[in-house]
Amino acid sequence: MNDDRNRSWPGQEPDAPRRAQSGPWPGEDPGPAWPGEEAPRRPQRGTPPRGNPRAGGSPEWPAGDEGGPQWPAGDEPTRRPQRPRQQGQQGQQGMPPRRAVPPSGQRAQQGPPGSPPQGFRQPPGGRRPTPPPGREPDLITHHAHNGTDDVGRDPYDDGYDDAAFNEFADDVEPQGELDEKGKKVLTPAQRKKRRWKIIRRVAYAFVGLFFVVPAIAFVITYFLVDVPTPESIKSLQNQPITYYDASGQVMGRELPPGGDRQLLKPGEVPEVVKHAVYSAEDATFETNSGFDVTGILRAVWNQVSGGQGGGSTISQQYIKQATQNDAPTLTRKWTELAKSFKMNNQESKEEIITSYLNIVYFGRGANGIQAAAKAYFNKDAKDLSPSEAALLAGLIQGPGRSENQAYAQKRWAYVLDQMVANKWLRQDERATAQYPTPIPKNANKEQNSGKLTYQVQQRIKDELAAKGYDENKLFSSGAKIYTTIDPAAQAAAEQAAADGMKGQTDENLLNALVAVDPKTGGVIAYYGGPELVKDANGKDQIGQDRANQARNPGSSVKAFDLTAFLKMGKGLGEVFDGSNNRVLGGRVVRNAGDSASCGKDCTVAKAMEISANTVFYDMVLNVTKPSRVAEAAKEAGVKVAPNGKSVLYTDDNNISLGGGGTAVTPEDMAAAYASFASGGTYHEQHFVAKLTNAQDEVEFDQNNIKTNPAFDDDAAKSQQIAGNVTEALVPVIDHSKLKCPAGHECAGKTGTQQYTAKAGDPPSYADRNAQTWMVGYTPSVSAAVWVGGDGNKPLHDPKGKPIFGATVAGPTWQNFMDLYLKGKPTEKFDKVQAIGKDVNDVTTTQTKPSDTPSTTTTPTTPATSDSTEPTDTSTNTSSRTTRTRPGPPTTIINPGDGNTFGGGGGVAAPPGAGPG
């Protein structure tokens, strides 16, 4: 907003200033008058007057009587004129430069009313300068309210150019000399002042850069980082897995890939060990806050000067080990500092040093002070002497040079000297200290004394993995595995297996033995064959675990045939046609040998005793059906996929004789027969009785697992079924020319799988067998013995004769039972009520079987006859009538073909049964 240019000053007549003027400047129009009582404005004009007033040139200044300073005399030295300000320095283009604003809080000095401001000469008498055209005075209301204008200028500075007057002003300091670069030449005082000003600014920047900013960043990092928790570190602190037998004795230990480690708890680390480690790694550990400033500076100096030694405290080393981060970056070191500081605020020094000594590596595969004490001195950490502790502490910096005698002695001496310097060891003790000689490397390796075999170890791991405890979890927790292995039973099994193979000349013969406790289901003995065997090149390799490979069980599966039959309410007194060479289901079924028959009226009990194939094939085909046999086997304890390796094939009737696609492991056979021995109670077979961690906290206890009846929801009914099966299996022992251990009742069943002849085989191979079994039990132990070959191979004894279940497997089983049960209390089976028809109520005339062991073979080519029609047999309780009727032609099938579950992959021969 612009005001009227000719407007008068407040409190003054409009024409008063004009009347007071003596006249205008030469060549100029009169301008506005000076204000009366208000602060005067300086005369304004476009350009300074031309000419030299001191030289008397035109125009001349009238003599003035105002109170301002007068024009200097002509002989007065001329002041250096100030350089005019640049037009662009003002707020608006075209605005003339203005004088400097007076200091805040001060008003411009004024002369008497009507005089110009101090420091300016009065204009010549007569007329005042006229302001340049286009300039209007501001309204007093613009800035009068706050004493200044809108940009903080002096209210008495009108903003018009006064550079020309500076030459004559007394309040303007003279312009300093300029150097050749056009810069002002400073006085010594000014240079000193400027120099200190620069130093102060640099100091402020240094403090901010190296102290304030890092402090703020450290605080932020402190709240962002997480300190490794004991739970998260446990996974890094892998410890050995310790195996215990049923008596609580150590069977063996398995070291993790990173080496041995045994964790100690806070309070278990002796003071002498702590002081030795402090002396070697961090003498101020007990007092520092997680990092040592002097140590960091010393480390920096060592890096610069080429010296040795780091600045990490024990807390920082622990963080590095716990996080597995050793990257040589500033970020890692920075966060490491924050974490160690935070950890010292959250945990006690005792907890930190214990955790550190549990995780640090000492060489020789030993992680942690306890494992190191064992590896170097074969003693516990609590028993270490100061000299031994000093040696171990000195190896922390160079565990890879633990076997370097010179290095180890140098570090040992250094640690002892530091212990003296820190008053943790007396000087006289240091003087008498002797270098401790470590034991030879690996000399303290704990032996398992042959009690823990590779096969047992793997079966234990398989079982735990199925429960969710894989190897990593076991190592991370330092698992203690309390197994069910009875050292006496294991020793008996290995001896019996070795004795059974003595004198055998057939290189294809292999064997396996598994024993189970019927009262718990725990595997007390497990032998799957030799641990090491020779390969084709004569080199040692791990042998196969035969006890965990599925084979055709042969006639040993007939116990499950009978179980399914009893569950239907049928009894041991039921009668079947036990004749040889019967045609059943379009297939010719024959017994083992010409005399392995019990006639037309053969009870189930007698058929089990002599292993009459025709009876059990008929029973499953026409009464129980294969599915019920498979169900009974699983109820007893046979594990099929996906939880086991056994196969119960129900698409044909071969399951009745244990052939075809049916295959069972020795472990499953021992466990299933244990359900009969236990009186019909099912206990899942297992190797692990209890699992704890390194702190003895129980993960699970198999003894607390609830058991169930095996064959019926009613426990009494299940017991009755199991008791009837046992009654049928008791006579088999004597019939197979085996004996029970002295003072013990026993029951069992043999099994034989016939070899399937191939083109070009010698005629003698026709009667050879490929697999043989003996499975039996007493009330306290159930054992299964398998003797056979890998797949379909014709086996023979030293005389070149076929082997049977009673010739090698049977004696092996008997030997094991005698060895294990020797000296144990006598045992008898519980008597139960007969199911269905009691065998004692049945009178039959049966053919006496041959004493010669024979193999039972299922469907074969029928005998030559004028008629090609098969015979169909019907059975009743009083008599058996045989009649012939037309039927489909007999199918000549070699049952058992197509089996691929023999461990060796070959096609197995038809299943066989029989006493041998």
Side-chain angles (χ1 to χ4, degrees), residues 147 197 546 884:
K197 183 177 182 181
R546 314 291 178 179
T884 303

Side-chain angles (χ1 to χ4, degrees), residues 720-740:
Q720 186 182 18
I721 294 171
N724 277 257
V725 173
T726 297
E727 184 178 345
L729 296 179
V730 167
V732 175
I733 301 299
D734 183 64
H735 182 80
S736 301
K737 298 190 177 348
L738 300 173
K739 294 182 179 180
C740 295

Side-chain angles (χ1 to χ4, degrees), residues 702-725:
Q702 188 74 20
N703 297 321
N704 296 329
I705 295 179
K706 184 179 179 180
T707 58
N708 299 302
F711 308 112
D712 194 279
D713 292 339
D714 185 347
K717 180 67 173 176
S718 181
Q719 182 181 13
Q720 186 182 18
I721 294 171
N724 277 257
V725 173

Side-chain angles (χ1 to χ4, degrees), residues 427-450:
Q427 184 62 50
D428 61 320
E429 294 176 323
R430 170 67 182 93
T432 59
Q434 298 292 325
Y435 179 78
T437 303
I439 63 175
K441 191 175 182 179
N442 296 326
N444 70 323
K445 184 177 181 181
E446 296 186 36
Q447 302 297 323
N448 58 32
S449 302

Side-chain angles (χ1 to χ4, degrees), residues 312 320 325-337:
S312 295
K320 180 170 63 178
N325 185 3
D326 195 21
T329 61
L330 292 176
T331 302
R332 194 267 301 175
K333 292 294 293 183
W334 180 260
T335 56
E336 186 179 283
L337 287 174

Side-chain angles (χ1 to χ4, degrees), residues 264 267-275 357 369 381-384:
L264 298 177
E268 294 182 347
V269 179
E271 291 297 315
V272 65
V273 173
K274 294 180 187 176
H275 294 157
L357 288 176
I369 189 65
K382 63 183 179 62
D383 299 324
L384 291 173

Side-chain angles (χ1 to χ4, degrees), residues 473-712:
K473 197 169 186 179
L474 295 175
F475 280 130
S476 66
S477 65
K480 295 181 179 179
I481 303 172
Y482 296 86
T483 73
T484 59
I485 298 297
D486 185 333
Q490 183 67 25
E494 293 175 4
Q495 181 179 339
D499 292 345
M501 300 300 287
K502 285 181 180 179
Q504 298 297 330
T505 59
D506 191 341
E507 62 181 10
N508 292 319
L509 278 180
L510 302 167
N511 62 354
L513 191 157
V514 180
V516 174
D517 183 355
K519 296 179 175 63
T520 64
V523 178
I524 62 175
Y526 191 90
Y527 175 77
E531 292 189 82
L532 294 177
V533 296
K534 300 292 185 181
D535 62 12
N537 298 321
K539 295 183 179 179
D540 288 338
Q541 65 178 8
I542 297 296
Q544 298 183 44
D545 182 2
R546 314 291 178 179
N548 195 34
Q549 292 177 350
R551 315 281 181 171
N552 289 129
S555 288
S556 62
V557 82
K558 290 175 181 176
F560 308 132
D561 297 346
L562 179 58
T563 301
F565 190 68
L566 293 169
K567 289 183 66 177
M568 297 179 67
K570 307 293 184 178
L572 299 179
E574 299 291 343
V575 178
F576 287 85
D577 182 358
S579 302
N580 194 18
N581 295 324
R582 289 184 60 198
V583 178
L584 297 168
R587 310 173 79 173
V588 176
V589 181
R590 69 181 180 90
N591 294 324
D594 294 336
S595 59
S597 307
C598 56
K600 299 290 185 179
D601 300 319
C602 183
T603 63
V604 171
K606 190 62 179 180
M608 182 67 77
E609 179 183 350
I610 68 172
S611 194
N613 290 340
T614 54
V615 171
F616 288 95
Y617 197 90
D618 187 1
M619 177 192 295
V620 175
L621 179 66
N622 297 310
V623 180
T624 66
K625 305 303 181 182
S627 60
R628 286 194 175 96
V629 177
E631 181 182 1
K634 289 186 286 187
E635 290 173 343
V638 175
K639 291 187 174 182
V640 299
N643 298 321
K645 293 186 175 181
S646 296
V647 178
L648 299 171
Y649 191 71
T650 60
D651 285 356
D652 59 43
N653 206 51
N654 282 330
I655 190 175
S656 63
L657 302 181
T662 296
V664 185
T665 67
E667 179 186 331
D668 279 357
M669 291 301 294
Y673 271 54
S675 295
F676 302 134
S678 67
T681 301
Y682 169 71
H683 300 276
E684 182 180 12
Q685 68 261 38
H686 59 278
F687 288 85
V688 181
K690 184 173 68 172
L691 176 67
T692 72
N693 58 20
Q695 288 73 41
D696 296 321
E697 298 170 341
V698 177
E699 296 287 342
F700 75 84
D701 191 340
Q702 188 74 20
N703 297 321
N704 296 329
I705 295 179
K706 184 179 179 180
T707 58
N708 299 302
F711 308 112
D712 194 279

